[in-house]
């Protein structure tokens, strides 16, 4: 696997962590508005994953199918916190941290990426920044 494909697959895995976490949170929160927001956010992650996967497939490689252990552990930690208190608040807080992680990893990947990957990331980054901003605004409004 070439370095560009490996980098894209790592980004797919981290983005999939967010996608799965939002999908899980939809079933855990009680607030219908949060459920709708989380559905939108999961869909945004799906679109980013698809764009990255197309690029990996174009390189005749297999796109990553899973997430990361860190992502799964974060989800389990949030479930435990949610059962101890304010479930909706726990999910909002941890999903914001997930957004921050995804955004940081994409921004860190940009300078070292090959030109064609850099172009793809430049297209996807505004979507990720918008998701991050939505979750930050939600967190601030709930504080």
């Amino acid at each position: 696997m070439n370095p560009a494909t490996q980098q894209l697959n790592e980004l797919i895995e981290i983005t999939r962590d967010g996608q799965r976490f939002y999908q899980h949170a939809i079933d855990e929160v009680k607030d219908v508005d949060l459920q709708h927001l989380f559905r939108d956010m999961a869909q945004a992650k799906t679109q980013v994953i698809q764009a990255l996967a197309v690029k990996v497939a174009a390189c005749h490689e297999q796109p990553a199918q899973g997430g990361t252990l860190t992502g799964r552990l974060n989800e389990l930690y949030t479930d435990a916190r949610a059962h101890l208190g304010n479930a909706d608040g726990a999910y909002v807080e941890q999903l914001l941290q997930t957004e921050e992680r995804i955004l940081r990893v994409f921004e860190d990947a940009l300078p070292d990426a090959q030109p064609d990957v850099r172009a793809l990331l430049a297209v996807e980054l505004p979507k990720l920044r918008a998701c991050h901003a939505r979750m930050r605004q939600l967190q601030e409004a709930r504080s």
Side-chain angles (χ1 to χ4, degrees):
M1 183 175 296
N2 70 50
T5 307
Q6 183 175 351
Q7 182 181 46
L8 288 169
N9 272 333
E10 289 170 4
L11 295 173
I12 288 171
E13 290 174 344
I14 290 166
T15 307
R16 185 165 283 119
D17 287 345
Q19 175 201 40
R20 288 178 177 172
F21 196 1
Y22 278 113
Q23 289 171 332
H24 174 75
I26 291 166
D27 297 329
E28 300 297 322
V29 299
K30 305 297 182 233
D31 185 311
V32 176
D33 290 334
L34 282 180
Q35 291 172 350
H36 290 298
L37 173 64
F38 292 173
R39 208 169 273 111
D40 289 348
M41 300 296 268
Q43 182 60 36
K45 300 295 176 281
T46 299
Q47 291 170 356
V48 172
I49 291 167
Q50 289 171 344
L52 299 175
V54 165
K55 182 66 175 166
V56 170
C59 295
H60 307 290
E61 297 283 350
Q62 179 68 32
Q65 298 299 312
T68 68
L69 178 60
T70 300
R72 183 66 182 127
L73 290 173
N74 189 33
E75 194 175 309
L76 292 171
Y77 168 73
T78 306
D79 286 345
R81 281 189 57 212
H83 291 298
L84 295 174
N86 177 4
D88 291 0
Y91 284 99
V92 169
E93 180 181 329
Q94 290 303 124
L95 284 164
L96 173 58
Q97 289 182 17
T98 298
E99 287 294 339
E100 289 170 350
R101 177 177 174 235
I102 292 168
L103 187 57
R104 183 179 59 251
V105 169
F106 270 74
E107 288 176 339
D108 288 350
L110 195 59
D112 298 328
Q114 294 178 359
D116 57 333
V117 173
R118 190 175 304 127
L120 175 59
L121 297 182
V123 169
E124 299 306 318
L125 263 168
K127 298 173 192 173
L128 297 171
R129 286 182 181 128
C131 288
H132 177 258
R134 284 180 77 184
M135 288 305 294
R136 181 174 296 287
Q137 289 169 350
L138 176 63
Q139 175 70 16
E140 289 171 358
R142 296 176 68 86
S143 297

